[in-house]
Amino acid sequence: MKALVTGGAGFIGSNLTRALLRDGHKVTVLDNLLSGYARNMEGVDARFLEGDIRDTDRLANAIQGADVVYHLAASVGNKRSIDYPLIDADINVMGTLKVLGAARAAGAKKVVFSSSAGVFGELKTLPIAEDHPAEPDSPYGATKLCAEKQCLAYTKLWGLECVCLRYFNVYGPHQRFDAYGNVIPIFVFKALRREPVTVFGDGEQTRDFVNVRDVVQANVKSSLARGVSGAFNLGSGSRISINRLLDLISEFVDLPLEITHAPPRAGDVRDSLADITKARSSFDFQPSVQLEEGLQEYIDWARSEVAAR
């Protein structure tokens, strides 16, 4: 199989690229390196093109001959979208439209789109199934929902199979800490540097954390499932409070944490828990990495990152 991975130098994309190569597939990576990292491509035997999905010529070059497109390139995160809503919409909406058009023109058989649980907004029921009302609380969630609809319209109009994977809270190696990062890398890197950790709200909010290895598994399995299109939740099917997560991090880094509290942030939901029944039945998604195992693996990787700086 020939695959294009947009955003392949990023956290999830680099893990996916490595897995595809291990399985013997040929991979092209297209990444503008604004949020991806060139060092994620070190030792990776993929064709790498530095470029933006909104660059039509660059995209056409990258996608030529691809059987499957894994579309991960995005402006990611609620806070970033609130700070820069126009950029968020341009990348996530117009960029996705360009990827879909290029995939159709190139004769690709399938597009696997990385969506987000942010399409739902504040949850009304737990666990949350795919038919839960989609009322996003941030521009990010809104652009991901719009991009999903674009994908599924291409399926209806032109028969391009599209799978939209609604990621819950993904974590794992190659996920670095920055101002817009997810909670596990923020907490872990601050803990290892012995810096204070800020909790927004009382810490009793819950999250469904899914390991990147399981996310990679879902991308690959869904891309190989013939005749499967649609939107699918992708989580672990379990949840943990932020306070309990901090207890585990403190235990695994073997350091006490200095914790401060701040008001809840705009766009953050109170609770999160994925119903993954549809993914299980449609392409045999089976999450296998328990949080304790995955968290220890991530902390070990983060230690090497801190030591290298």
Side-chain angles (χ1 to χ4, degrees):
M1 178 178 75
K2 292 183 179 180
L4 169 64
V5 181
T6 73
F11 158 46
I12 299 173
S14 61
N15 280 280
L16 173 60
T17 296
R18 285 178 168 83
L20 290 169
L21 292 169
R22 284 195 301 269
D23 290 344
H25 304 297
K26 294 183 179 180
V27 182
T28 295
V29 168
L30 178 64
D31 199 302
N32 62 12
L33 299 181
L34 290 180
S35 57
Y37 292 83
R39 63 182 181 273
N40 283 347
M41 292 288 97
E42 292 175 1
V44 177
D45 189 22
R47 175 185 176 226
F48 176 74
L49 295 177
E50 184 175 348
D52 195 294
I53 56 171
R54 294 167 293 175
D55 182 335
T56 304
D57 293 338
R58 199 66 165 162
L59 178 59
N61 182 11
I63 209 167
Q64 187 174 8
D67 302 299
V68 176
V69 179
Y70 299 94
H71 178 33
L72 294 98
S75 175
V76 177
N78 291 339
K79 188 176 186 308
R80 189 194 299 270
S81 75
I82 292 169
D83 292 343
Y84 306 105
L86 295 180
I87 294 174
D88 186 79
D90 191 38
I91 296 172
N92 293 349
V93 178
M94 296 308 300
T96 298
L97 263 178
K98 290 192 174 185
V99 169
L100 290 168
R104 180 179 173 232
K109 298 178 179 66
K110 196 145 199 168
V111 173
V112 180
F113 169 62
S114 291
S115 187
S116 168
V119 302
F120 294 118
E122 190 63 55
L123 306 187
K124 297 173 174 58
T125 59
L126 289 177
I128 185 166
E130 285 80 2
D131 60 358
H132 184 284
E135 299 173 357
D137 294 327
S138 69
Y140 174 68
T143 59
K144 283 294 186 178
L145 181 60
C146 180
E148 279 190 11
K149 299 299 186 183
Q150 292 169 353
C151 289
L152 300 180
Y154 265 69
T155 298
K156 292 177 182 177
L157 290 170
W158 294 295
L160 176 63
E161 290 185 8
C162 293
V163 169
C164 305
L165 300 177
R166 291 172 171 171
Y167 300 158
F168 280 62
N169 292 78
V170 188
Y171 72 99
H174 300 285
Q175 186 178 30
R176 292 175 172 84
F177 159 64
D178 62 32
Y180 298 99
N182 289 325
V183 65
I184 285 181
I186 290 173
F187 287 172
V188 168
F189 274 82
K190 283 187 172 290
L192 292 174
R193 293 167 179 162
R194 303 194 179 197
E195 298 173 357
V197 171
T198 300
V199 174
F200 295 95
D202 61 9
E204 286 305 299
Q205 60 267 42
T206 60
R207 296 291 181 266
D208 183 331
F209 292 103
V210 59
N211 189 269
V212 70
R213 279 187 273 152
D214 289 327
V215 170
V216 166
Q217 171 211 148
N219 271 268
V220 175
K221 283 187 172 181
S222 65
S223 72
L224 298 176
R226 292 186 178 181
V228 173
S229 293
F232 301 87
N233 289 342
L234 208 64
S236 67
S238 61
R239 60 175 172 151
I240 186 175
S241 72
I242 297 301
N243 288 334
R244 177 58 183 150
L245 174 67
L246 286 166
D247 289 341
L248 288 175
I249 291 173
S250 179
E251 176 185 341
F252 292 160
V253 301
D254 196 25
L255 290 169
L257 303 183
E258 180 184 344
I259 299 171
T260 61
H261 286 266
R265 295 187 302 184
D268 284 356
V269 300
R270 178 68 181 179
D271 295 295
S272 180
L273 176 63
D275 181 340
I276 54 176
T277 303
K278 186 179 177 184
R280 278 196 172 113
S281 62
S282 298
F283 49 85
D284 193 33
F285 173 58
Q286 301 289 344
S288 61
V289 184
Q290 297 298 313
L291 180 60
E292 289 79 2
E293 174 194 353
L295 189 58
Q296 183 64 71
E297 178 186 43
Y298 180 70
I299 289 170
D300 292 342
W301 176 83
R303 282 188 195 278
S304 68
E305 282 285 297
V306 171
R309 295 190 177 196

